[in-house]
Amino acid sequence: MGWTDHLHERCMIGGLWVEADGGETIAVNDPSTGEVLGSVPKMGRAETARAIDAAQAAFGEWSAMTAAERCALMLKLHQALMDHQADLGELLCREMGKPLAEARGEIAYGAAFVRWFAEEGRRIYGDAIPSPWRDKRILATQAPVGVVGAITPWNFPNAMIARKLGAALGAGCAMVCKPASATPFSALAVAALVEEAGLPKGVFNVVTGSASAIAAEMCENPKLRKITFTGSTEIGKELASNATRHMKRVSMELGGNAPFIVFDDADLDAAVAGAMASKYRNSGQTCVCANRILVQSGVHDAFAAKLARAAEGLKVGRGYDEGVTQGPLIDAAALEKVEEHVADMLAKGGEIVTGGARVGNQGTFFQPTVVKNATTDMKPFREETFGPLAPLFRFETEEEAVAMANDTPYGLACYFYTRELGRAFRVMERLQFGMVGVNEGIISTEVAPFGGVKDSGMGTEGSKYGLDDYLVRKYALIGGLGF
Ligand code: NAP
């Protein structure tokens, strides 16, 4: 088999491959070349309603199984994902652009959530609460929330779905997923493997097409009980407000503006390695990417030089070409945003240490870039660049660094490097973010809670807490016991 065997051009509803009602399609491009890879149906409300019906029907069967039965099927799905890791990774690389090794790593990362929640699903406990009555008993149990709608972004076309799907299935829920229009094939490939693994038809449905129409149906259809979203803060706020108007549970994994702080006492080589991974992974297109790099004045120049040298070692190109370590940006608008941020910095006194320009005149490639003399009036201080630009801000004191780091409406991930234990705890406790990397630049794992505060959203993915978002609590008072 090869990656093209996993490329499906129809949607999956109730276990069937289907076209849009009107037969319309959306083209999907390879961002490295602009060439069309294929197309997917352009669906809207009617097809989404049918997918919700299919999920509702499957929910009955899936939720009635024992946790052990669900676990066994989910482990088969995990195995299917891993058996096809190489091909699924290449498909993801073709539609999204990230280097092949990163893409294959994403498949394993996504699959790990399926396995984790297969197992966690067996540990959904309730309580027997001491009763205030001699002749009555109180139980508090947990039940699956029901049919879940998932809307996902293009930057992790597999993992952003797998970590929602894993939790939903582990809790006993069924799902309708609307993947990003730029990267729908990875979602459809997962749907095919859900079938192959033998899960009930309709437990995982994928609809592609008009985001606003599909989201409207998800928000208003009473059979759908929860919406989980990963994407921009702007859309997340609108979606959360529409969903809660119809009393839907919501989980929102939104944008970030991660600070990455390097103190004078840091292990500089470790800090450079962490910054490289945090900044340039996925060409800077992750919600947890270092967006503002704050460096204490004592090590500023040395750090800038080392980071620039490391950035120059990256090989920019098509993700599926040998040795490439940085792929293209997702589209022309993303490329223009990076250029706009670089231009804004230069206009306000920024100085290029390395990079700063497009690579070639085909595709959407941008040099790994480091710009120093960054100030708080520059765009990267306020907005996610979502590209390979590392802006270096100089600071003098710990107080100043923490204040700068917290000066953002976002609160997803943050990072800092220090070798002083007291400072490690002080700074960790003062940073107002959902996730903190202390002397670490990559922090995601299925066993730890992933989620943000403030404008970065609400809810948790992964870890033992990740099931909570897919469960509802149920209280039963049991009387008539005859004693
Ligand atoms: P986006 O524009 O918000 O799109 C995300 C998803 O929302 C896509 O499926 C998109 O569909 C859909 N969408 C668009 N308009 C919608 C509407 N009116 N109602 C409902 N859904 C709608 O975000 P993106 O550019 O793809 O992703 C990048 C953002 O995601 C960044 O801000 C990043 O920080 C964030 N992110 C957060 C996390 C996290 O865990 N916190 C993880 C990854 C990414 P179409 O593709 O069809 O437009």
Side-chain angles (χ1 to χ4, degrees):
M1 274 185 101
W3 66 273
T4 50
D5 296 309
H6 294 273
L7 192 156
H8 304 282
E9 298 190 279
R10 287 175 295 165
C11 288
M12 172 70 86
I13 297 181
L16 300 172
W17 291 111
V18 288
E19 315 270 358
D21 287 352
E24 271 188 278
T25 58
I26 314 170
V28 181
N29 298 321
D30 173 345
S32 294
T33 59
E35 280 165 23
V36 174
L37 276 179
S39 65
V40 291
K42 186 173 180 193
M43 292 186 163
R45 285 193 77 141
E47 298 91 333
T48 307
R50 287 203 291 280
I52 293 170
D53 283 343
Q56 174 82 347
F59 172 61
E61 184 185 350
W62 184 244
S63 59
M65 286 184 187
T66 65
E69 288 167 336
R70 283 196 294 268
C71 174
L73 287 168
M74 288 176 69
L75 291 178
K76 282 192 180 164
L77 172 59
H78 170 263
Q79 192 56 51
L81 290 164
M82 292 310 293
D83 287 347
H84 297 290
Q85 180 188 6
D87 291 342
L88 293 174
E90 182 152 4
L91 175 71
L92 194 159
C93 165
R94 298 272 170 178
E95 67 173 346
M96 195 271 145
K98 68 177 63 175
L100 201 47
E102 270 187 47
R104 289 180 171 152
E106 180 181 334
I107 303 299
Y109 172 67
F113 284 87
V114 174
R115 185 179 57 196
W116 171 264
F117 284 115
E119 293 159 351
E120 280 302 292
R122 304 185 70 179
R123 293 186 274 274
I124 300 172
Y125 296 105
D127 291 310
I129 296 173
S131 170
W133 302 284
R134 288 186 175 197
D135 60 345
K136 297 173 195 173
R137 296 292 179 265
I138 293 176
L139 295 181
T141 57
Q142 299 193 84
V145 64
V147 176
V148 174
I151 301 181
T152 54
W154 48 264
N155 60 347
F156 289 90
N158 173 283
M160 293 304 105
I161 293 171
R163 64 186 189 181
K164 296 177 188 309
L165 180 64
L169 293 178
C173 300
M175 179 173 272
V176 176
C177 174
K178 184 239 159 296
S181 298
T183 58
F185 291 131
S186 292
L188 293 164
V190 171
L193 293 180
V194 169
E195 272 286 286
E196 187 185 305
L199 281 80
K201 292 182 189 311
V203 124
F204 181 53
N205 308 275
V206 177
V207 290
T208 54
S210 162
S212 53
I214 294 168
E217 184 62 30
M218 285 183 177
C219 287
E220 291 170 28
N221 190 318
K223 293 175 195 155
L224 189 136
R225 296 310 320 150
K226 175 192 168 72
I227 294 184
T228 173
F229 173 80
T230 297
S232 60
T233 295
E234 186 193 356
I235 306 261
K237 282 185 174 177
E238 183 191 323
L239 186 61
S241 116
N242 292 340
T244 50
R245 195 173 319 128
H246 297 276
M247 285 305 135
K248 303 289 156 78
R249 291 267 296 273
V250 292
S251 300
M252 294 281 144
E253 295 289 347
L254 309 179
N257 181 356
F260 185 106
I261 310 171
V262 184
F263 288 103
D264 281 347
D265 61 15
D267 173 338
L268 222 50
D269 290 329
V272 169
M276 287 298 297
S278 173
K279 177 66 257 181
Y280 297 110
R281 185 169 62 117
N282 207 7
S283 306
Q285 303 172 110
T286 87
C287 54
V288 292
C289 267
N291 200 55
R292 300 169 290 154
I293 302 188
L294 318 181
V295 192
Q296 202 159 11
S297 54
V299 292
H300 179 279
D301 294 350
F303 179 84
K306 278 175 183 266
L307 183 66
R309 203 170 321 127
E312 284 158 10
L314 292 173
K315 184 174 172 196
V316 179
R318 301 186 306 183
Y320 37 87
D321 287 344
E322 190 64 28
V324 163
T325 46
Q326 186 186 290
L329 291 156
I330 190 68
D331 57 23
L335 184 66
E336 281 157 20
K337 184 166 188 192
V338 182
E339 286 184 318
E340 184 191 317
H341 277 210
V342 171
D344 183 69
M345 290 190 74
L346 298 186
K348 292 172 181 161
E351 197 182 307
I352 288 187
V353 187
T354 189
R358 293 181 185 213
V359 179
N361 48 18
Q362 195 205 20
T364 48
F365 301 97
F366 200 84
Q367 291 173 323
T369 297
V370 179
V371 180
K372 63 181 184 181
N373 295 344
T375 50
T376 55
D377 59 339
M378 294 177 181
K379 285 194 173 172
F381 192 80
R382 300 273 155 226
E383 291 173 29
E384 269 183 308
T385 304
F386 238 56
L389 162 63
L392 303 187
F393 299 79
R394 186 188 288 265
F395 69 90
E396 301 297 333
T397 67
E398 183 182 308
E399 287 297 310
E400 187 190 352
V402 171
M404 278 171 81
N406 285 338
D407 183 11
T408 169
Y410 297 99
L412 194 58
C414 63
Y415 310 86
F416 66 91
Y417 279 70
T418 180
R419 277 188 280 209
E420 196 206 304
L421 192 58
R423 169 176 277 162
F425 276 88
R426 239 177 8 248
V427 173
M428 181 180 73
E429 287 168 12
R430 286 180 192 167
L431 287 171
Q432 296 157 0
F433 293 82
M435 296 175 279
V436 192
V438 185
N439 298 322
E440 293 291 338
I442 298 281
I443 54 178
S444 300
T445 154
E446 74 279 9
V447 312
F450 189 106
V453 296
K454 296 162 68 181
D455 272 2
S456 292
M458 54 180 97
T460 299
E461 293 194 330
S463 81
K464 67 174 183 173
Y465 312 107
L467 281 177
D468 296 349
D469 286 4
Y470 294 84
L471 294 168
V472 287
R473 209 172 288 292
K474 204 169 198 174
Y475 152 54
L477 176 65
I478 304 155
L481 298 177
F483 54 83

